[in-house]
Amino acid sequence: MRVVSPDYIFSLKPDELETAALELFNYQYQENALYRAYTDALRIQPRQVSSILEIPYLPIQFFKSHQVVCGQFEPQLVFESSGTTQTVNSRHLVKDAAVYTRSFMTAFEQFYGPVTDYVVVGLLPSYLERQHSSLVCMVQEMIVRSGHEESGFYLYEHDKLHQQLQWLEARGQKVLLIGVTFGLLDFAEKYTLELQHTIVMETGGMKGRREEWTRDEVHAFLKERLGVTVVHAEYGMTELLSQAYSRGQGYFETPAWMKVLLRDENDPFQLTAGKGSGVMNVIDLANIYSCAFIATEDIGKIHADGRFEVLGRLDNSALRGCSLMVS
């Protein structure tokens, strides 16, 4: 089946996503025993599915309780979500690491141009302190591919980072400063800068490390302290192999093989592809060998131009669909 080919997926045009999604749905129904059981529990007949609105979206909680895989394989990567000792973390078994690399590199360069143009600086302290982070894997590869000796990770060396950014700014060097939200806030509380050549990109993530701030509060503070006109953002998660990017105002854009739809909070099987607000379902065709159709716990809004915002998370976010199956 051609849709299983990364060459096909990563060369899609936006108007080709639905056809590719339907092909991948049929492949994953056949090859993913968990997804097939979930689809059957909903009494959905694959041959009757003719729209992305009719595809069943797997509740994201299943990544905590099951192996979400097509067939059997020895994973080249295992991504695991962050959490506490009291929580069960999601695990995403990645059959082909090259698919993940191709996904994030193609998407980043689509929105920002060649990674070789940038010194890539990762401020991801909590993520560096644990294994199996998809975000660390992504930024590590971008650091290597940037080809700049100044690229690298920082834990808590804020003074060193401050000096490095000043030096790079004086050279007029383009920089991507990508950081977990609390890390960027901690840094910006200590130092003020006027960053004219640096993209500041937050990846979300407070995880109890700080008092929760709204996105507008975070961005306003970072703009004031770091001297940037906009704050960029990345939307990704352990269960996805692709990312969406915001180049300002928290409005995210997706690559052609990724799409966000909305569902009614009170009726998880009522979907809409149009504008409005609701709980987010994500199509990520890079999830060839797991599941490309994920019902997340994020609340979002889709605008008329197709960009989306993330407004928050569901309370008590055990999704109703999970009750249809017993582990």
Coordinates of all heavy atoms in Angstrom, one line a residue, residues 122 138 141 147 177 280 295 306:
G122 N 19.0 24.7 23.0 CA 17.9 24.0 23.7 C 17.9 24.3 25.2 O 18.9 24.0 25.9
M138 N 14.4 15.4 19.2 CA 14.2 16.3 18.0 C 15.3 17.4 18.1 O 16.0 17.7 17.1 CB 12.8 16.9 18.1 CG 12.6 17.9 16.9 SD 10.9 18.6 17.0 CE 11.2 19.9 18.2
E141 N 18.9 16.3 17.4 CA 19.2 16.1 15.9 C 19.3 17.5 15.2 O 20.1 17.7 14.3 CB 18.1 15.3 15.3 CG 18.3 14.9 13.8 CD 19.5 14.0 13.7 OE1 19.9 13.3 14.6 OE2 20.1 14.0 12.5
G147 N 25.1 22.3 12.3 CA 26.5 22.5 11.9 C 27.2 23.6 12.6 O 28.4 23.8 12.2
L177 N 16.2 29.7 19.9 CA 16.2 29.4 21.3 C 14.9 28.7 21.6 O 13.8 29.3 21.7 CB 16.3 30.7 22.2 CG 16.1 30.5 23.7 CD1 17.2 29.5 24.3 CD2 16.2 31.9 24.4
M280 N -9.7 18.6 20.8 CA -8.9 18.4 19.5 C -8.7 16.9 19.2 O -8.3 16.2 20.1 CB -7.6 19.1 19.7 CG -7.7 20.6 19.7 SD -6.2 21.5 20.2 CE -5.0 20.7 19.0
A295 N -7.5 11.0 19.5 CA -8.3 11.9 20.2 C -7.6 12.5 21.5 O -7.3 11.7 22.4 CB -9.6 11.2 20.7
G306 N -7.7 28.2 8.9 CA -7.2 26.9 9.2 C -6.2 26.8 10.3 O -5.9 25.7 10.8

